[in-house]
Amino acid sequence: MILIVDIGNTKTKLVWFKNNKPFKSAAFINTNFREFAVQARQYPFTSGIISCVKPTSESYKKWAKKNQLFFLSHNSKLPIKNLYQTPHTLGNDRLAAVVGAQELYPQKNILIIDAGTCITYDILTAKKEYLGGAISPGIYLRLKALHTFTGKLPLVSAKHKMHNLTGNNTQSSILSGVYNGTISEMDSIINKYHSVYKNLTVILTGGDAPYFEKALKNRIFARPELVITGLYKIFTLNNGK
């Protein structure tokens, strides 16, 4: 089996592939290397790939080398042309999501929206050219910023779903501003890209995608496994399979 490791800012996801298909998966909050190693031993594997958006400790590097996994980087073979001016600074999650989009929707102009700790917008042309995009604060960062940089506003959990446009107390007002503001941002950016690219396909992914997939006015495709799909494709390209 092949192990795909996606280490994000907040969570780590493991997916074991068997016969080119997802077999088992696990997800957990980032804690330490020991917890990661325990989780990774759940099922046997022969090799794999690791995507990490944070600096990697020596423990992870030694473990990866011992277990025949390689780290995704801007030097990895890709099925797309990366036109980002600073490829070494491009987040691996963004890169993997773009490759996943290309795999699922070939020869399409694609806007990928990844809603997580940050909200990223990435554009891939029908010619397989990755042009770049935009980075915006995610829901948690917006809520935390309102609490951190003001004197009295409380830290509100994103788990409290916002139903009303007009908040009738401080908590619901914060949720309305963050939730509806983010939806307006997404719809606005989608509309701008629609004006530039014909027949644009819009994909929504990321841990916070469920907050938005039914609220957006624009037509989108929700693909929660987009990054994993991209990582597996990159693995096959770099291992001659």
Side-chain angles (χ1 to χ4, degrees):
M1 283 195 290
I2 305 302
L3 177 60
I4 308 299
V5 181
D6 176 22
I7 303 175
N9 287 300
T10 306
K11 295 181 180 180
T12 293
K13 186 167 188 178
L14 310 177
V15 179
W16 290 262
F17 275 72
K18 184 177 182 180
N19 298 324
N20 296 317
K21 294 181 179 180
F23 174 67
K24 295 289 183 179
S25 65
F28 49 95
I29 300 295
N30 293 341
T31 52
N32 52 49
F33 170 74
R34 181 175 296 180
E35 171 66 15
F36 166 81
V38 169
Q39 293 282 350
R41 286 199 297 266
Q42 292 184 63
Y43 303 97
F45 58 90
T46 56
S47 58
I49 182 173
I50 299 177
S51 168
C52 187
V53 300
K54 303 186 295 183
T56 309
S57 70
E58 284 300 316
S59 296
Y60 283 92
K61 293 177 182 178
K62 291 179 180 179
W63 180 90
K65 185 176 181 180
K66 179 181 178 181
N67 290 281
Q68 304 296 313
L69 279 80
F70 70 90
F71 283 88
L72 171 62
S73 77
H74 65 282
N75 292 318
S76 301
K77 292 181 182 178
L78 302 172
I80 60 170
K81 186 175 182 180
N82 188 355
L83 299 181
Y84 207 64
Q85 290 187 359
T86 54
H88 60 286
T89 68
L90 179 63
N92 286 335
D93 52 346
R94 295 175 68 188
L95 188 59
V98 170
V99 172
Q102 165 62 30
E103 182 74 1
L104 295 174
Y105 301 94
Q107 299 180 327
K108 299 284 187 181
N109 292 318
I110 308 171
L111 173 63
I112 303 103
I113 304 175
D114 192 337
T117 302
C118 294
I119 299 172
T120 57
Y121 303 85
D122 291 287
I123 192 74
L124 178 70
T125 72
K127 296 180 180 180
K128 299 183 180 181
E129 295 176 334
Y130 170 62
L131 305 181
I135 304 173
S136 178
I139 293 178
Y140 174 73
L141 289 181
R142 297 177 195 223
L143 292 171
K144 187 176 181 180
L146 287 172
H147 171 65
T148 302
F149 298 108
T150 62
K152 293 185 177 181
L153 292 181
L155 179 59
V156 179
S157 172
K159 293 181 180 179
H160 297 288
K161 190 172 182 180
M162 179 62 214
H163 295 284
N164 300 318
L165 177 62
T166 303
N168 57 12
N169 56 47
T170 301
Q171 175 176 291
S172 60
S173 294
I174 290 173
L175 287 170
S176 177
V178 169
Y179 181 67
N180 291 300
T182 305
I183 291 171
S184 296
E185 173 193 300
M186 287 184 177
D187 271 322
S188 176
I189 290 178
I190 292 171
N191 288 336
K192 288 180 179 180
Y193 274 111
H194 269 300
S195 69
V196 177
Y197 297 95
K198 294 182 179 180
N199 302 317
L200 182 70
T201 297
V202 181
I203 303 175
L204 179 64
T205 190
D208 287 341
Y211 286 105
F212 307 111
E213 58 183 275
K214 294 182 179 180
L216 293 170
K217 294 180 180 179
N218 284 277
R219 182 170 180 260
I220 58 98
F221 294 96
R223 295 292 185 182
E225 301 301 324
L226 192 66
V227 170
I228 296 299
T229 299
L231 288 174
Y232 186 73
K233 178 63 177 180
I234 295 170
F235 170 82
T236 60
L237 285 175
N238 286 267
N239 280 267
K241 296 184 179 182

